[in-house]
Amino acid sequence: MFDSRHIMTFHEVVRTGSYSAAARALGYTQPAITQQMKALERDVGTALFVRVGRGMRLTEAGEALARHTTTILDSMSAAQEQMNALTRLRAGRVRICAFPSANSTLVPETLARLTAAHPAIRVDLLENEPPESLRRLARGECDISLAFTYPGLHEQVPDELVEIPLLEDQLTVLLPAGHHLARRRVVRLTDLEGERWIAGCPRCRANLLHECAEAGFVPDIAFMTDDNLAVQSLVAEGLGVAMIPALVLNFMRHAKVAGRPLQPASRRKISAYVLKEHLRVPATALVLDELRTVAANKTGC
């Protein structure tokens, strides 16, 4: 491996034609230039210059190295500029893997703020429900994962992941607009014992089963779908009721459904997860800061 300082000095010696001229150009003493060239020759394993009268010329090895120095120095300059851009947040790439309702609410607002302040930072979006989104993070397929958890369920998060809590999302019961319980301000879960249910993703279905068991009954799950629009459409047609997060209702509300808070209150926790070492990456840290700001301003959740 060559010392980059020696390569820079060698390039200047070749450009100016002598050690003394290179010393003046670089602000070094001539003995310092001589010592650097001797060190470079030791690294190369052969002479780079030969004396010719009062002057000097390149050996065959010196000519070969000289052909590469411009490329080497240009690459070093480009690498330094890229590092400066990344550390000063002029550039960077962050991969976010989030669940659908986060990709429809938290993520777009975050990216709008980020793009306005740091347009050179690129964000790639992936979509998975937890726990697959957390597995993708652990495998290195993304830099930030947005996931939700329910307080009554014991869920394992890989030890290498760091959790950054963002918000608590109120769960509501979704009813057909003409349902007799839609006239109430809040609905007790026990009042829904005889209803047919539309259940969501596996994690949400597990929470529905858990909460209904706590209330003393087993829900009659008639339909299961991960599609939030399909859930609302099924409810709107009177085919059942559903337990749905307020975050979904912030961006999607079917005209023929009514959302009512549950009693007792039930919430899911939404968090961002990262690998510990990613916290030191400036672009990733910036995205996390923007996510916190957007989540803090969310109402109705």
Side-chain angles (χ1 to χ4, degrees), residues 7 9 21-22 39 101 114 126 130 132 142-143 182 206 253 266 292:
I7 293 294
T9 301
S101 57
L114 188 70
L126 307 169
E132 180 57 27
C142 61
D143 305 302
R253 176 69 70 87
S266 180
R292 288 190 193 96

Side-chain angles (χ1 to χ4, degrees), residues 30-97:
Q30 184 170 330
I33 298 292
T34 301
Q35 291 302 316
Q36 286 195 44
M37 292 304 91
K38 286 182 178 179
L40 182 58
E41 288 178 331
R42 286 194 298 271
D43 290 340
V44 171
T46 188
L48 298 172
F49 302 97
V50 292
R51 289 286 179 183
V52 180
R54 291 188 174 183
M56 58 192 304
R57 67 175 175 81
L58 290 167
T59 65
E60 184 179 0
E63 289 177 352
L65 183 59
R67 287 193 293 270
H68 291 288
T69 53
T70 299
T71 301
I72 293 170
L73 294 174
D74 285 347
S75 295
M76 289 171 56
S77 177
Q80 183 63 55
E81 178 58 29
Q82 186 173 5
M83 293 305 101
N84 289 340
L86 289 170
T87 55
R88 294 172 188 168
L89 293 175
R90 295 203 305 271
R93 176 181 176 229
V94 180
R95 300 163 300 167
I96 299 176
C97 186

Side-chain angles (χ1 to χ4, degrees), residues 237-266:
E237 295 301 325
L239 297 171
V241 300
M243 188 182 290
I244 197 164
L247 194 64
V248 174
L249 298 181
N250 277 352
F251 73 94
M252 182 188 298
R253 176 69 70 87
H254 197 292
K256 294 167 63 178
V257 302
R260 296 293 181 265
L262 279 166
Q263 192 178 61
S266 180

Side-chain angles (χ1 to χ4, degrees), residues 95-149:
R95 300 163 300 167
I96 299 176
C97 186
F99 54 97
S101 57
N103 267 342
S104 300
T105 51
L106 296 175
V107 172
E109 292 183 41
T110 297
L111 298 193
R113 291 173 56 90
L114 188 70
T115 301
H118 303 278
I121 293 179
R122 173 181 172 180
V123 177
D124 295 339
L125 295 184
L126 307 169
E127 186 167 286
N128 279 108
E129 298 278 1
E132 180 57 27
S133 58
L134 297 179
R135 296 192 191 107
R136 297 190 72 173
L137 177 61
R139 292 195 299 262
E141 296 175 9
C142 61
D143 305 302
I144 298 173
S145 174
L146 296 184
F148 56 87
T149 56

Side-chain angles (χ1 to χ4, degrees), residues 2-24:
F2 302 144
D3 188 313
S4 60
R5 294 169 301 172
H6 297 165
I7 293 294
M8 294 175 66
T9 301
F10 173 77
H11 177 74
E12 197 63 27
V13 171
V14 173
R15 188 185 71 83
T16 59
S18 69
Y19 285 1
S20 58
R24 288 192 296 272

Side-chain angles (χ1 to χ4, degrees), residues 244-288:
I244 197 164
L247 194 64
V248 174
L249 298 181
N250 277 352
F251 73 94
M252 182 188 298
R253 176 69 70 87
H254 197 292
K256 294 167 63 178
V257 302
R260 296 293 181 265
L262 279 166
Q263 192 178 61
S266 180
R267 294 177 175 85
R268 65 175 182 173
K269 182 171 70 169
I270 296 175
S271 298
Y273 294 85
V274 294
L275 292 167
K276 185 177 296 185
E277 55 268 28
H278 287 180
L279 291 171
R280 298 194 299 270
V281 178
T284 300
L286 182 65
V287 173
L288 289 172

